[in-house]
Amino acid sequence: LGMEMARHTCIGHVEIDKFANISYQAIHQPKKEEFYAEDITKITNETWKGLAGTVDIICAGFPCQSFSISGKRQGFNDTRGTMFFEVARAAKQIKPRFLFLENVKGLLSHKSGRTFAVILGTLDELGYDAQWRVLNSKDFGVPQNRERVFLIGCLRGTCPREIFSFGDSGSEAEKEHKPATNAIATRYGNALGSGSYIIENRKTIIQVGNINPKKEELFDGNPQPGRVYVADGISPCLNAMTGGNRIPYIISKATESIRRLTPCECWRLQGFPDWAFDRAKAAGVSDTQLYKQAGNSVTVPVIYWVARRLRWGTQPKN
């Protein structure tokens, strides 16, 4: 959605989670000719190669926990067996101009930085120059404290500008150009004037308690489940919630009542307009899966900000 707001056109996707794919189909209503595969590991090199010349950007996220750095292997070989290798394998065959990768901030320090070094080495072997930046969703108009690292791989010899300039920041970018629902109204007719994005940049996080009396025993000592926040702060980082146990709670100063965030509110915290959530909900996706999808998603306005730089460089046009 963030890419399309910056006038990029999606021509295909890969999604192994059947519920996430139901939401995707309901929201985007892709054309029949759009490329789709369920399992990236089963896509052949020949299939990827068939997309060469039609793809400018590959967007992907991948888990870093599966990396195992051992022995004397280096570069491309060190990534085999991981989801990052699958992205790299696709890039090797397609050779798009850009790779747009997202991950948790901890990727930079995973295994004392060796994992990230392997990623950079792999991109170098594939012919891509890399630049990266940690961005926080709270700086882009949504009240959620969510730090993520965004890495851009640019095919060597094709990048005249830096995507992430030293000195720019999320808050400055937010002032520069805020997302608007009518930016994609040409494809999504009900986007115009319906379900505006949250533009509420709050800087403080205020936790007032935890409703779980034995929170230290839950999820291996993770204090996240049951946490309660006041409504006039910003939300902590949403995670891949699979039900009610990990959903943040808020307390109303007026009534002193405690309630958990709704699935729609969690989608709003990721910058999704209400019409997109409504389509997924109407498709029969359960609240459990809607919570999970919010936690697994990327923040739309952040993607939009980067996507404009992929299209126009560091001085995007309106």
Side-chain angles (χ1 to χ4, degrees):
L1 198 57
M3 293 290 287
E4 289 187 335
M5 290 171 63
R7 302 177 191 175
H8 299 276
T9 300
C10 181
I11 63 171
H13 76 286
V14 180
E15 179 55 69
I16 199 169
D17 186 308
K18 65 178 182 180
F19 300 108
N21 194 52
I22 290 173
S23 291
Y24 178 92
Q25 298 287 341
I27 294 170
H28 300 289
Q29 300 175 358
K31 298 177 180 179
K32 291 184 179 180
E33 61 268 24
E34 181 173 309
F35 176 85
Y36 168 67
E38 178 180 315
D39 188 344
I40 193 172
T41 66
K42 295 181 180 179
I43 302 175
T44 65
N45 288 339
E46 289 70 25
T47 298
W48 284 136
K49 190 173 294 185
L51 295 175
T54 66
V55 177
D56 300 300
I57 305 173
I58 293 177
C59 304
F62 52 91
C64 69
Q65 291 85 353
S66 58
F67 278 82
S68 178
I69 313 301
S70 60
K72 296 182 179 180
R73 295 179 304 167
Q74 295 180 353
F76 198 62
N77 288 333
D78 271 338
T79 68
R80 295 188 183 276
T82 71
M83 284 299 101
F84 173 73
F85 165 73
E86 295 298 337
V87 176
R89 185 169 65 89
K92 184 177 182 180
Q93 303 301 322
I94 298 174
K95 286 292 183 182
R97 183 182 180 191
F98 292 111
L99 303 177
F100 183 7
L101 309 179
E102 177 267 353
N103 215 294
V104 296
K105 180 182 178 182
L107 176 68
L108 298 174
S109 58
H110 187 255
K111 291 190 177 292
S112 300
R114 290 175 303 196
T115 294
F116 197 63
V118 168
I119 290 174
L120 295 180
T122 300
L123 294 180
D124 179 65
E125 288 184 38
L126 291 173
Y128 286 87
D129 296 325
Q131 51 185 291
W132 59 94
R133 181 79 179 270
V134 174
L135 300 173
N136 195 324
S137 297
K138 73 177 184 179
D139 294 325
F140 292 82
V142 295
Q144 182 192 174
N145 187 55
R146 187 183 188 90
E147 289 185 299
R148 291 292 184 268
V149 60
F150 295 90
L151 188 153
I152 302 297
C154 186
L155 196 62
R156 194 161 294 132
T158 68
C159 300
R161 302 184 184 94
E162 292 181 347
I163 303 301
F164 302 123
S165 296
F166 287 105
D168 66 4
S169 69
S171 56
E172 292 170 0
E174 182 200 354
K175 295 176 184 177
E176 166 198 297
H177 196 291
K178 293 180 180 180
T181 52
N182 60 4
I184 51 172
T186 52
R187 175 169 177 180
Y188 304 97
N190 58 348
L192 186 60
S194 173
S196 298
Y197 290 84
I198 294 175
I199 301 297
E200 190 175 4
N201 195 5
R202 291 166 172 167
K203 297 296 185 182
T204 59
I205 303 174
I206 306 172
Q207 181 175 352
V208 293
N210 193 302
I211 64 172
N212 292 316
K214 297 183 178 180
K215 58 181 180 296
E216 68 279 356
E217 299 176 9
L218 297 173
F219 301 99
D220 296 322
N222 185 352
Q224 190 165 245
R227 57 197 176 173
V228 180
Y229 297 84
V230 293
D232 57 356
I234 66 172
S235 169
C237 183
L238 298 175
N239 66 5
M241 298 161 287
T242 55
N245 289 332
R246 298 193 180 192
I247 301 165
Y249 291 77
I250 60 173
I251 185 170
S252 170
K253 287 185 176 180
T255 64
E256 295 299 320
S257 61
I258 296 175
R259 68 171 181 85
R260 66 183 185 179
L261 294 177
T262 67
C264 183
E265 287 172 332
C266 289
W267 278 51
R268 288 171 177 170
L269 288 173
Q270 289 285 37
F272 283 95
D274 286 354
W275 62 262
F277 173 83
D278 291 342
R279 284 189 181 185
K281 181 73 173 177
V285 180
S286 69
D287 283 355
T288 295
Q289 293 299 325
L290 292 170
Y291 278 126
K292 179 181 178 181
Q293 289 168 24
N296 274 332
S297 181
V298 289
T299 306
V300 176
V302 179
I303 300 301
Y304 171 65
W305 186 78
V306 179
R308 295 178 71 230
R309 278 153 172 72
L310 289 175
R311 189 174 182 89
W312 293 297
T314 57
Q315 299 296 327
K317 303 175 184 178
N318 290 328

